[in-house]
Amino acid sequence: MKNNEAVFISTSEEMTMEFGRFIGEHAENGLFIALIGDLGTGKTHFVQGLAKGLGINDVVSSPTFTIMNYYEGEIPLKHFDFYRLDTEENLYNIGWEEYSEGGVTVAEWADMFPGLIPERAIYIYLSNKGTTEREVKVIWGEEAPDAITKEIEKYASCH
Ligand SMILES: Nc1ncnc2c1ncn2[C@@H]1O[C@H](COP(=O)(O)OP(=O)(O)O)[C@@H](O)[C@H]1O
Ligand SMILES: [Mg+2]
C-alpha cells in the first residue's frame, strides 16, 4: 500500500491547536484521526483545536478515565483515549461499534490497539523536539480522504 506523509514542526501549544482547528475546518463526516505520541506531546491540545474547527465550543479534556468523550455538533466529535483501555472488548462495551461510524473520530494512543484503526485513518505522530517544539508527522494510506490530505500537504509545506 502506498503511504503518503507530511511533516512540520510545531513551535508552540497554540500552533498545535491551530493545526487541529485547520483539520476540523476541513473535516468531513467519517474522518478518523489516529494520534500517536508520548505523554505531553500535544495530542489533547490537538483535539482541543480540532473541536474548535468543527464549531464545537465545549471544553475538551482528555477522556483518560472515561475512554471516550462525545461532543454534539453539526459533525459530532468522538474523542477516544486508549491509554487506560485494557482490552478491545471493553471498548465494545462502551459502544465502539455505534460510535465508530459517522462524525469525526479521534483516538489518542491509537498505536495501543492498531486493530481498531480503520484503513481510512490519517495518522498523526507527535514527538518531543524541545520544550515547546513538537514534530508533527502525518501519514496516510490510499483509503484516506483525498480532499483533506491535499490540504494537509499544503499546510505542512508552509509551516
Ligand atoms: N508545540 C507544542 N504543541 C503542543 N503542546 C505543547 C507544545 N509545546 C509545549 N506544549 C505543552 O505540552 C503539553 C501537551 O499536553 P497534552 O496536549 O495534554 O499532551 P498529550 O495529550 O499528548 O499527553 C502541554 O503542557 C503543552 O502546554
Ligand atoms: Mg492526552
Side-chain angles (χ1 to χ4, degrees):
M1 190 171 82
K2 188 164 144 269
N3 279 320
N4 291 296
E5 71 169 64
V7 188
F8 66 95
I9 300 287
S10 162
T11 54
S12 67
E13 167 189 309
E14 290 75 21
M15 191 172 163
T16 297
M17 293 175 73
E18 188 50 42
F19 178 57
R21 193 161 76 135
F22 176 84
I23 302 276
E25 284 168 351
H26 290 87
E28 285 179 9
N29 214 34
L31 179 68
F32 194 112
I33 303 281
L35 291 178
I36 299 173
D38 287 341
L39 273 177
T41 47
K43 299 182 294 299
T44 299
H45 278 78
F46 171 86
V47 182
Q48 287 166 353
L50 179 66
K52 279 212 181 77
L54 288 167
I56 294 163
N57 293 316
D58 304 64
V59 176
V60 171
S61 60
S62 192
T64 310
F65 293 97
T66 53
I67 311 293
M68 188 202 65
N69 287 335
Y70 181 87
Y71 301 96
E72 228 18 283
E74 197 182 319
I75 303 179
L77 175 66
K78 293 156 294 174
H79 179 193
F80 289 89
D81 186 335
F82 293 164
Y83 192 66
R84 297 201 176 266
L85 185 67
D86 296 323
T87 64
E88 287 186 19
E89 284 68 49
N90 287 349
L91 200 58
Y92 287 99
N93 294 339
I94 64 162
W96 171 254
E97 270 161 327
E98 297 95 277
Y99 286 124
S100 58
E101 278 173 29
V104 167
T105 307
V106 62
E108 297 191 37
W109 295 97
D111 49 334
M112 288 180 63
F113 293 95
L116 291 170
I117 312 303
E119 290 282 332
R120 69 178 189 282
I122 294 173
Y123 290 82
I124 302 181
Y125 290 84
L126 294 166
S127 51
N128 209 329
K129 297 287 171 190
T131 26
T132 63
E133 288 80 29
R134 305 287 187 268
E135 183 190 74
V136 181
K137 185 185 273 185
V138 189
I139 299 182
W140 62 92
E142 287 175 337
E143 309 282 322
D146 253 9
I148 194 160
T149 56
K150 287 213 173 71
E151 292 298 330
I152 291 170
E153 280 180 327
K154 275 192 256 168
Y155 188 98
S157 67
C158 61
H159 282 83

